[in-house]
Each structure stands twice: as C-alpha cells, then as structure tokens.
Amino acid sequence: MSPILRIEMLIFSLFFFVYIIRSINKNIFLLKNVIRWLLISAGLVVFAVFPGLPEWLATQLGFETTSNFLLFAAILVLLFIEIKNSALLSKQQNQIKLLIQELSILKAKKEKK
C-alpha cells in the first residue's frame, strides 16, 4: 500500500473517531448506542496504522483477496448493527403501544368522573 494512501486512511479514520467523540460530547448520540461506532473507528485506525493486518487476516481465514475479506467483514458488521437496531425499534414500538393503551385507560377513567 502506498504511503499516501496510508496517510489518507489514517487521517480519515482519525477524523471519524474525533467526530464520534464530539457527537457524544454534544449529546447527539447516547454513549450506549455509540460504542459500536467507537469500535469501528478504532478498527479503522488500527487498519490504517498496520495495513498488513487485513492482508494477514484474509489469508488466515482463507479469502483469496483482501478486498473480499474487508467486504465480508463490513457486511457482517452492518448486519449486526441492523439486527440491534431492529430489536431496539421493536422494543420501542411495544413501549409506545403500551403507553397509548395506558393513556387511553386514564382518559376513559377521567371522562367517567
């Protein structure tokens, strides 16, 4: 990998890491929801500093090219994030439904009085 590309990767990954940290500080994200993004940004920094690591992992896991390994890893990470988001969405929908039901019961009781 060329030195210019390594420097660009490192700069991008550090900017991404700083953006995530600043978003936490500005209360844009909750800390419990942003831990996975911190891990992803830390992984990007590690891959930028040690460019041979993805190549080594790809060969150890039996991938023919490093790009196939990185694409597979990205798909797995995005799949995990989507499953977690779907579970959170389902939980919130159930909570909203319960709140609406409780509010309707309270309104009905208030109207009877």
Side-chain angles (χ1 to χ4, degrees):
M1 179 183 302
S2 71
I4 294 173
L5 182 59
R6 284 183 66 187
I7 292 170
E8 288 173 350
M9 282 178 52
L10 185 61
I11 290 170
F12 170 76
S13 57
L14 288 175
F15 275 128
F16 185 68
F17 189 77
V18 168
Y19 171 74
I20 297 297
I21 297 296
R22 291 192 69 201
S23 296
I24 294 170
N25 289 339
K26 292 180 179 181
N27 291 326
I28 294 173
F29 298 124
L30 293 175
L31 182 60
K32 70 176 187 174
N33 296 333
V34 81
I35 289 175
R36 68 189 103 169
W37 292 112
L38 286 173
L39 292 175
I40 290 170
S41 65
L44 288 174
V45 171
V46 169
F47 282 175
V49 173
F50 304 108
L53 183 62
E55 294 173 13
W56 180 80
L57 284 172
T59 56
Q60 293 299 314
L61 295 174
F63 289 91
E64 288 188 24
T65 62
T66 306
S67 61
N68 288 347
F69 165 69
L70 292 174
L71 184 60
F72 178 74
I75 289 170
L76 285 181
V77 167
L78 292 175
L79 184 62
F80 174 74
I81 290 172
E82 181 60 29
I83 289 171
K84 294 291 279 182
N85 286 340
S86 294
L88 179 63
L89 180 63
S90 296
K91 183 179 176 182
Q92 288 176 346
Q93 286 175 339
N94 286 335
Q95 289 174 340
I96 289 170
K97 184 172 103 178
L98 181 64
L99 286 172
I100 289 171
Q101 290 170 345
E102 289 175 356
L103 182 61
S104 297
I105 291 170
L106 288 174
K107 281 184 178 182
K109 285 182 182 179
K110 184 179 178 183
E111 290 174 0
K112 285 183 182 179
K113 289 182 182 185

